[in-house]
Amino acid sequence: MSDTPEPSGPQAPQEPSLDEQIAAYQREFRDLDPQVEKVVSALGRLNRRMNVAYGRQVADLGISNAEWEVLKTLVLSGAPYRLGPGELAKRLGLTPAAMTHRIDRMAGEGLVTRDRDENNRVRVIVELTDEGRQKWLEAMRMATDFEEKLLQDLSPEERGSLGEMLIRLLRRVELTQPDAGGRLTDLD
């Protein structure tokens, strides 16, 4: 009899280790550089897992990742945290229809308001509410705690070096794929 507890409920299939994945790729594609593949695969897995973690955090607050993106974009616009729907859509890489759907949902939840511009009655303005700002602040607190734990094993120098290396990679992608900041399809 084993001392290892039996898993309760269904479990996700085990993902191969990075070394197993790279070995399989090399079997099928001999020109693969294993060092490059290890970096790229690790970044991809880290990105997926971090997105899941952030998604769980915002879900605990009663908002979706899509709503979080709108809150973040409004905060980044600066006080008074207002943008037109077209500008929001552009900044998020969404179609106007997807943005309208998202704004409708968020206005119904009290996270944003949508009103006519007093100076131009044709123009609509989306503004962050106090409740929306509080959700953003709480999500930031949760993310900060998660990120500190994520990087706890790295020294300040290692964090700085890693940050610089990742920025260099990001710049390379931005130079070669300037339109990659948006989405190929809408997420809602």
Side-chain angles (χ1 to χ4, degrees):
M1 178 117 182
S2 168
D3 290 332
T4 306
E6 290 294 317
S8 60
Q11 289 187 301
Q14 185 67 31
E15 188 173 25
S17 72
L18 285 178
D19 289 336
E20 292 168 335
Q21 177 179 325
I22 292 165
Y25 285 176
Q26 284 181 303
R27 265 194 328 267
E28 302 299 325
F29 184 70
R30 300 215 185 272
D31 293 338
L32 182 82
D33 181 333
Q35 288 180 317
V36 170
E37 190 58 37
K38 184 173 256 184
V39 169
V40 172
S41 294
L43 285 171
R45 287 185 186 197
L46 179 61
N47 182 54
R48 279 195 325 269
R49 285 167 174 77
M50 288 178 68
N51 283 337
V52 168
Y54 290 135
R56 287 178 178 151
Q57 289 177 344
V58 296
D60 287 345
L61 297 174
I63 60 175
S64 68
N65 278 334
E67 291 168 329
W68 158 253
E69 287 184 0
V70 174
L71 297 178
K72 176 179 70 173
T73 302
L74 288 169
V75 168
L76 289 174
S77 74
Y81 315 117
R82 301 167 50 143
L83 289 171
E87 182 61 23
L88 268 170
K90 181 178 173 185
R91 290 183 186 197
L92 291 170
L94 298 172
T95 63
M99 193 73 253
T100 298
H101 174 69
R102 198 174 290 186
I103 292 167
D104 287 346
R105 190 172 63 233
M106 293 179 72
E109 295 168 0
L111 301 172
V112 299
T113 59
R114 178 182 39 212
D115 294 307
R116 295 273 175 211
D117 185 341
E118 294 170 6
N119 300 321
N120 178 351
R121 300 298 295 162
V122 175
R123 186 170 184 249
V124 172
I125 297 291
V126 178
E127 185 172 348
L128 188 65
T129 64
D130 288 340
E131 182 177 347
R133 181 156 168 74
Q134 288 307 310
K135 294 275 187 182
W136 178 82
L137 286 168
E138 187 57 31
M140 288 299 293
R141 285 184 197 97
M142 294 167 80
T144 300
D145 290 345
F146 168 72
E147 292 158 0
E148 282 294 324
K149 289 174 186 165
L150 176 69
L151 298 175
Q152 70 185 356
D153 296 330
L154 301 180
S155 70
E157 294 79 21
E158 289 172 320
R159 290 178 184 195
S161 294
L162 178 60
E164 289 303 316
M165 287 185 279
L166 292 172
I167 287 170
R168 285 184 6 223
L169 295 176
L170 177 61
R171 285 185 184 135
R172 174 65 56 196
V173 171
E174 289 172 344
L175 284 171
T176 60
Q177 304 290 322
D179 63 340
R183 304 238 167 33
L184 295 177
T185 59
D186 290 332
L187 298 178
D188 328 94

